[in-house]
Amino acid sequence: RNARHRECFIAEKGCTLIVADYAGQESVVFANKCKDNDILEFYQEGLGDMHSFVASKIYPELEGLELERIKKEFKRERQNAKAAGFAIQYGGVGATIANNLGLPIEEGDKIYDAYFKAFPGVKSYFVTCKADALAKGYILLNTISHRKSFIEYYDEYVKLKEQMDAPGFWDEYRAHKTTNSAKFITHFKPIVREYFKKKGMIERKSLNYPVQGSSAEITKFAGVLFFKYLEKNNLLFKHVRICNIIHDEIVVECKKDIAEKIAAKLKECMEEAGKSFCPTIPLKAEPCITEFWNH
């Protein structure tokens, strides 16, 4: 990630690199999926720094302050909001936030609760994602490609759930737990523990996969559109090379005299790829013409 290593990757003589990446790709994809009113407003109004915005929502003392001021003067609160946002988007809970930030569990829980109070649309979206995956045994990444990620241990989860849903299971569980019997230790406790472990894994994937999976598809689709443009215009390999595609970024090498034109076309292809997946909040791409792999 650091410039010292990236500067080792340079364009050939007479050429330049174009490095283009999406602006906050996963956050924008997430906003389009959850459709929380306040998050949509943030993007539609162009309010600036997302992490300062989240901080203003979860810390009452920051309400009404300018986001630029929060960014400069309330760095701890902003960092907490940033960590909370990323953790929660991928299934984290108060303990996750506390662990990531080195905070007491009580403060992690407080931040977690404040986040969902501030963004009720996120909570509603999460409930739908989790229930869908638990009921179907797969996670639908999006309704554009309809690509699915099947849960390999779903049958095991269903069998455990059936055991626990059997009449009398919980009465027996509680009775044996009271005495900490051998049957509780060797039978009931392992079943319940394994059930909630697998349930938690499925639920976390149901939040993570649609965002990361859709983001990956957008980038790959952008690569396809750009490749077709180069092929159609007889530019591929002769004047332009696609060097690398990394997460939300496409690295291209081209002749210096056509760099501006190619950068504009790459931006166009990347933003076109995002339109179907992000219809509410558009996904923007930012190309940079540079001698080395700058990012």
Side-chain angles (χ1 to χ4, degrees):
R1 291 178 61 180
N2 62 67
R4 183 184 176 193
H5 287 86
R6 284 183 175 252
E7 285 174 0
C8 296
F9 297 86
I10 62 174
E12 287 189 1
K13 189 175 180 180
C15 295
T16 188
L17 294 180
I18 301 168
V19 182
D21 69 342
Y22 286 110
Q25 186 188 47
E26 290 188 12
S27 295
V28 174
V29 170
F30 179 73
N32 277 275
K33 285 182 176 293
C34 75
K35 294 182 173 61
D36 177 86
N37 289 333
D38 282 336
I39 293 177
L40 293 181
E41 180 190 1
F42 168 83
Y43 284 107
Q44 288 165 345
E45 299 294 325
L47 297 180
D49 182 60
M50 169 57 88
H51 307 309
S52 298
F53 178 72
V54 173
S56 74
K57 292 291 183 180
I58 65 176
Y59 287 102
E61 64 270 27
L62 302 185
E63 186 178 357
L65 295 183
E66 291 184 359
L67 299 189
E68 193 59 34
R69 184 183 171 191
I70 294 173
K71 187 175 182 179
K72 290 179 180 178
E73 299 179 21
F74 298 90
K75 293 183 179 180
R76 185 186 72 85
E77 289 82 357
R78 180 185 178 276
Q79 180 58 34
N80 289 355
K82 180 180 179 180
F86 283 128
I88 289 169
Q89 284 180 27
Y90 294 123
V93 294
T96 315
I97 297 167
N99 184 57
N100 291 349
L101 292 168
L103 299 172
I105 186 67
E106 295 79 14
E107 190 169 350
D109 287 336
K110 186 177 178 182
I111 293 171
Y112 180 83
D113 292 339
Y115 185 94
F116 281 116
K117 185 178 179 181
F119 304 110
V122 173
K123 188 170 186 177
S124 176
Y125 168 69
F126 281 180
V127 168
T128 302
C129 287
K130 291 175 182 179
D132 207 44
L134 291 170
K136 294 178 179 176
Y138 64 81
I139 299 159
L140 182 67
L141 300 187
N142 55 70
T143 56
I144 308 304
S145 69
H146 292 278
R147 186 168 294 178
K148 303 178 181 71
S149 175
F150 287 88
I151 300 159
E152 62 271 22
Y153 45 83
Y154 183 70
D155 289 345
E156 298 169 40
Y157 160 78
V158 171
K159 287 178 183 177
L160 290 166
K161 188 175 187 305
E162 287 172 351
Q163 288 184 66
M164 292 168 58
D165 287 345
F169 176 90
W170 288 106
D171 291 334
E172 275 198 81
Y173 173 89
R174 283 186 283 271
H176 284 281
K177 184 180 180 181
T178 302
T179 60
N180 200 33
S181 68
K183 191 172 183 180
F184 173 75
I185 295 169
T186 61
H187 177 67
F188 285 105
K189 188 176 180 181
I191 287 174
V192 172
R193 183 173 58 223
E194 190 63 21
Y195 167 77
F196 282 109
K197 178 184 173 183
K198 283 187 163 52
K199 182 173 184 280
M201 289 166 65
I202 293 170
E203 289 179 337
R204 286 190 294 276
K205 287 183 177 185
S206 75
L207 308 183
N208 184 318
Y209 283 24
V211 175
Q212 289 203 348
S214 296
S215 296
E217 290 197 338
I218 292 168
T219 304
K220 287 185 280 189
F221 184 33
V224 170
L225 294 177
F226 187 62
F227 185 95
K228 286 184 174 180
Y229 161 77
L230 297 178
E231 200 172 39
K232 182 179 178 181
N233 291 275
N234 201 29
L235 293 168
L236 192 61
F237 305 123
K238 294 181 180 180
H239 302 285
V240 183
R241 301 185 187 100
I242 300 175
C243 302
N244 212 347
I245 297 179
I246 316 95
H247 301 299
D248 64 342
E249 176 184 306
I250 299 178
V251 182
V252 169
E253 183 179 26
C254 72
K255 302 291 185 183
K256 286 185 177 180
D257 60 342
I258 58 170
E260 293 286 348
K261 176 184 176 182
I262 296 301
K265 192 64 188 182
L266 179 58
K267 174 182 170 70
E268 181 186 320
C269 290
M270 290 177 73
E271 293 183 352
E272 181 64 29
K275 285 181 180 178
S276 298
F277 295 86
C278 299
T280 307
I281 305 299
L283 191 55
K284 300 296 183 181
E286 300 172 344
C288 172
I289 299 172
T290 175
E291 294 294 323
F292 62 92
W293 187 10
N294 191 14
H295 180 64

